[in-house]
Amino acid sequence: MKKAIMLSLAVLFGFAVLMGVAPVDVQAKTTFVTIGTGGITGVYYPTGGAIAKMVNAKRDEYGIRATVESTGGSVFNINAIMVGDLEFGVAQSDRQFQAVKGLAEWEDRGPQKDLRAVFSIHAENVDLIAAADANINTIQDLKGKRVNIGNVGSGYRQNAIDALEANGLNYEKDFNAESLKAAEAPGMIQDGRMDAGFYTVGHPSGYYKEATAGTRKVKFIEIPNVDKILKKYPYYAKSVTLIKDYPGAENTEDIPTFGVKATFVTSAKVPDEVVYAITKEVFDNFDTFKTLHPAYEGLTKEGMLEGLSAPIHPGAMKYYKEAGLMK
Ligand code: GLU
């Protein structure tokens, strides 16, 4: 009798353990991932949203729940992925290159060996805008003015420094450089606290719309010596900012400039099946994805495999092979 009681108690205990374990098991089936983006008036933020939307629609199939975080931009995203605070992020192709090779912000820490590429997305242009009443007609006129070169952690700060350097300007000596986040700069130009600012972003963007649609007139200032910049740095390409995207700007002609690509990056530590699922959802639904932001207009599947300098994550590679996009 005693034995029987003991036995049933043991069975009950076993059940309790099982029941206690069961809900945990269900939860473990959902993998939570966070995508680092940029300021909310940029294109990274809606890009993270577009990717998350596609993956979350298949939550039952993949068990992935993606959320998007607004961040300081490329350099912040890469560093946060490397320490495991983010699983994915959007980063400029030049920043991906530098992180992999241990250049620029990564000179002290060395090559970021665990950084992995997933795909590239839209083109981003390096542009400079100035308030029309600030007497800035060329890049040289920035001297003595208040100019935003970008927050530490952004991708565009170094692009601004490269553009200035190629034109013999030094942000520490020649003007009052501000290190503002992109989201703050258009408002500061509009209310007269800033004269000019650089930003690297896909077009059209909320940033330039906000900057050029206010009561204070704003114009794009051409960055000269692009050839010199291209010769010095392998990751830049020529590009043109189309004035049709910003009817409020004072310019009447398109502005020749240089640019990079936005890329989607992750860590070698993120499981293959998670990266595979995200890659598959974006590529299998490519036509829908393309409609999610006007900056994706020129996207092609092949183009999305260009501009990647980190090794491609094996989960993404599995999809590219299956889809015949890579051998
Ligand atoms: N390219 C910018 C950066 O990394 C961000 C642009 C965006 O948010 O769309 O600083």
Side-chain angles (χ1 to χ4, degrees):
M1 186 66 188
K2 228 179 182 181
K3 250 187 187 168
I5 291 173
M6 291 292 279
L7 201 71
S8 43
L9 272 178
V11 169
L12 268 176
F13 183 70
F15 257 111
V17 168
L18 270 178
M19 292 190 34
V21 163
V24 175
D25 225 5
V26 169
Q27 264 177 10
K29 279 191 188 136
T30 301
T31 306
F32 292 89
V33 298
T34 306
I35 303 170
T37 60
I40 56 163
T41 55
V43 181
Y44 287 6
Y45 187 69
T47 292
I51 295 169
K53 187 179 161 184
M54 307 206 88
V55 179
N56 290 339
K58 296 279 183 70
R59 187 175 178 173
D60 291 346
E61 192 179 328
Y62 297 123
I64 299 172
R65 176 91 181 105
T67 51
V68 174
E69 204 174 283
S70 170
T71 73
S74 297
V75 174
F76 177 93
N77 294 341
I78 291 174
N79 290 337
I81 290 168
M82 290 299 89
V83 296
D85 286 346
L86 293 173
E87 284 71 37
F88 294 93
V90 190
Q92 292 177 198
S93 50
D94 52 328
R95 300 319 219 140
Q96 188 187 133
F97 179 96
Q98 292 162 347
V100 165
K101 301 224 184 292
L103 303 169
E105 272 88 338
W106 296 276
E107 219 166 274
D108 294 340
R109 271 168 289 170
Q112 303 300 296
K113 294 198 180 75
D114 277 349
L115 186 64
R116 292 292 176 270
V118 186
F119 45 75
S120 69
I121 323 164
H122 56 280
E124 300 188 86
N125 287 359
V126 183
D127 287 295
L128 167 64
I129 48 166
D133 60 19
N135 277 329
I136 300 170
N137 295 306
T138 73
I139 199 167
Q140 296 302 328
D141 298 333
L142 292 179
K143 282 181 193 145
K145 305 287 183 186
R146 291 160 301 178
V147 186
N148 183 38
I149 61 162
N151 57 297
V152 173
S154 73
Y156 72 100
R157 184 179 172 93
Q158 190 61 46
N159 307 143
I161 293 171
D162 293 344
L164 291 163
E165 194 197 36
N167 288 287
L169 292 166
N170 181 316
Y171 73 91
E172 282 166 328
K173 292 190 200 130
D174 295 322
F175 52 81
N176 300 319
E178 295 282 351
S179 303
L180 296 175
K181 282 190 172 179
E184 299 165 39
M188 301 262 297
I189 293 178
Q190 276 306 321
D191 65 21
R193 282 180 289 164
M194 188 80 57
D195 300 309
F198 288 90
Y199 191 33
T200 306
V201 69
H203 291 305
S205 70
Y207 174 98
Y208 286 115
K209 283 194 176 152
E210 185 186 344
T212 57
T215 46
R216 197 178 185 199
K217 281 284 166 201
V218 165
K219 61 184 173 189
F220 286 85
I221 306 293
E222 186 179 334
I223 300 168
N225 287 319
V226 166
D227 285 334
K228 197 168 154 186
I229 298 168
L230 262 51
K231 223 171 156 184
K232 188 160 179 194
Y233 304 105
Y235 35 73
Y236 290 136
K238 271 194 184 175
S239 128
V240 177
T241 294
L242 304 178
I243 214 59
K244 74 166 172 55
D245 287 333
Y246 308 105
E250 267 221 331
N251 309 65
T252 49
E253 280 167 33
D254 295 341
I255 306 99
T257 184
F258 65 104
V260 293
K261 267 189 162 194
T263 71
F264 197 57
V265 293
T266 188
S267 158
K269 295 197 178 88
V270 174
D272 288 6
E273 56 274 19
V274 174
V275 182
Y276 174 83
I278 292 184
T279 310
K280 184 173 165 58
E281 278 319 301
V282 170
F283 279 78
D284 278 359
N285 301 295
F286 181 69
D287 291 336
T288 308
F289 181 75
K290 258 182 86 163
T291 64
L292 297 179
H293 198 286
Y296 305 158
E297 201 185 302
L299 281 195
T300 61
K301 286 186 181 180
E302 292 73 22
M304 287 177 77
L305 303 179
E306 289 163 6
L308 309 172
S309 25
I312 293 179
H313 191 286
M317 191 53 108
K318 179 177 173 231
Y319 176 80
Y320 298 140
K321 284 186 175 161
E322 272 176 19
L325 287 162
M326 273 187 184
K327 285 200 181 124

